[in-house]
Amino acid sequence: MPTNRPSMPTAFEPLHDFQFAPRYDVAVASRRGAGLLQRPENQDNFLVIDAHGTASWLEGQELRRTTLPGWPAGHGRLAVLDGMGGHGHGREAAEVVASGLLAIPPCGTASALAEQLDELHARLQRQFASRAGARPGTTLTMLELPAGGAPILYHVGDSRLYEIDATRASALTVDHVPATAAALGGRIDERDWWKQVHGEHAPQIAQAFILGNAFSKPAQLSDPLYELAPWNLPSWLGGLADRRVLALRQDAVYLLATDGFWSCATPAAFVARWPALLGGLPDAASMVGRLFAAMDEAPPEGLQPDNLTALVLRPLLCHPDETALPSDALS
């Protein structure tokens, strides 16, 4: 595959030269953090494969790009990843998953995408099994964008997908954290879950790609990924399954982001600023730039040093086929 390694644009110059028109406008940026206290390296990553098969991701904290041979015109793929440095080799884990996504063929259904990703997860677990130390992990929040079809969500970890309109930023994913495990077991209710997950922030995770899950057996890590779905989620989270087809709104934009953007004392208060922050901006690149500028110029109270990755997807045209039927979420 022909490749090159241009420098990653600054946070105020997001990467945005992707070919998604006439359906979408996409931009992304990733950096070590905001403010004076920053982590020594960026363990986040992202992947963008545009409708012409041009792929962009980070390797060694630098931008890498290639053109995928045989990629079908009109199909796209977007992902953000947050490597778990606390378990060792976090940056490597995020890089190897981003690289692995390049080899996954375009998928047209949620079940086909899940099958490919479960296979990648198992293969990477075997790859890391022979290494000393704890097994690394990474979050993975991604959208598969079939040509002419509705986007497909796949989610593992505590990065998030947000839908942002003129008045509200709504999380479309459920964090894979201990509070969610407690909710699955009926030990906390909706109010307590929201307070622990969105009202405060704790750097704990109950599931990650490569690492495995602590949902099926809370006392130990299990190898497979544990899908959060309508049949195991409480009713008040049942519409936020990890693997489902999405119906995008023409009057909203969609943000895939790592948890550095809400690693602060009052996450919900900062997230509530986003509609006004992004309102009136003309394109995805301006929105990504504004998010990073806010982290530098008006950071939330109690901001913790963490890596930052933000990817904005802005629908350009309304497509009547982008309507999620109940059966689509289980396909």
Side-chain angles (χ1 to χ4, degrees), residues 244-304:
R244 70 185 195 274
V245 175
L246 299 177
L248 301 188
R249 291 168 42 193
Q250 188 68 19
D251 63 341
V253 297
Y254 295 84
L255 170 68
L256 291 85
T258 56
D259 69 343
F261 283 96
W262 51 89
S263 296
C264 58
T266 56
F270 183 60
V271 170
R273 291 167 46 188
W274 292 352
L277 198 67
L278 304 186
L281 296 179
D283 51 41
S286 300
M287 294 175 185
V288 171
R290 181 69 63 83
L291 282 169
F292 276 92
M295 297 296 287
D296 285 328
E297 298 166 6
E301 181 182 357
L303 181 66
Q304 299 296 309

Side-chain angles (χ1 to χ4, degrees), residues 83 97 111 134 142 195 199 327 331:
V97 173
S111 58
M142 66 176 289
K195 179 181 178 182
S327 59
S331 63

Side-chain angles (χ1 to χ4, degrees), residues 66-112:
T66 190
T67 300
L68 301 177
W71 188 261
H75 195 99
R77 180 172 293 160
L78 310 173
V80 297
L81 308 96
D82 182 353
M84 298 175 60
H87 290 273
H89 307 294
R91 179 169 62 83
E92 181 185 4
E95 285 180 357
V96 75
V97 173
S99 180
L101 295 178
L102 296 172
I104 290 178
C107 298
T109 67
S111 58

Side-chain angles (χ1 to χ4, degrees), residues 107-115 146 150-154 227 229-231 241-246 324-331:
C107 298
T109 67
S111 58
L113 181 62
E115 181 179 356
I152 303 166
L153 169 70
Y154 185 97
E227 176 185 2
W231 54 84
D242 291 336
R243 309 171 186 185
R244 70 185 195 274
V245 175
L246 299 177
L325 302 176
S327 59
D328 288 336
L330 306 180
S331 63

Side-chain angles (χ1 to χ4, degrees), residues 166-188:
T167 62
R168 186 178 180 186
S170 304
L172 300 186
T173 49
V174 176
D175 288 12
H176 293 179
V177 293
T180 299
L184 295 178
R187 297 189 298 277
I188 61 174

